Amino acid sequence: MKKPASKIREEITRLQDQLKQAETREAERIGRLALKAGLGEVEIEDSELIAALEEVAARFRKGGRTGRLAGASVPSGASQGSGGEA
């Protein structure tokens, strides 16, 4: 039996709310961990920080999870302000 469009819209709205809540929880967790790691005090361009975090995420996705990520907290060149600070 097919669901009426109104029921599907209700389900979509409910799922969108669940997604928003899950994203908020994830963002809060990552934010807390970033602050613990000292990233709140690092002067770095957002684009550089995103690139560094993408590298860390890629290492974990590939199964390179060996407890600690030696040297992964700041990729080479990023700590030197290579983003052209004024």
Side-chain angles (χ1 to χ4, degrees):
M1 184 175 194
K2 292 184 179 183
K3 289 184 184 180
S6 62
K7 291 289 183 187
I8 294 171
R9 282 189 201 95
E10 288 174 12
E11 189 172 339
I12 289 171
T13 300
R14 182 180 54 78
L15 290 172
Q16 286 173 331
D17 288 342
Q18 287 179 2
L19 176 60
K20 185 177 179 179
Q21 290 172 4
E23 288 174 338
T24 299
R25 282 191 307 273
E26 291 169 3
E28 289 172 349
R29 176 179 174 257
I30 297 298
R32 282 191 304 274
L33 295 172
L35 290 174
K36 274 187 174 181
L39 286 177
E41 300 172 12
V42 174
E43 291 188 28
I44 185 172
E45 295 287 327
D46 286 357
S47 60
E48 287 183 89
L49 183 55
I50 290 169
L53 293 172
E54 287 172 345
E55 289 176 22
V56 171
R59 288 182 67 178
F60 277 101
R61 284 189 193 112
K62 290 179 187 175
R65 189 174 187 162
T66 58
R68 290 188 163 255
L69 291 174
S73 60
V74 180
S76 61
S79 64
Q80 308 306 317
S82 61
E85 292 182 48

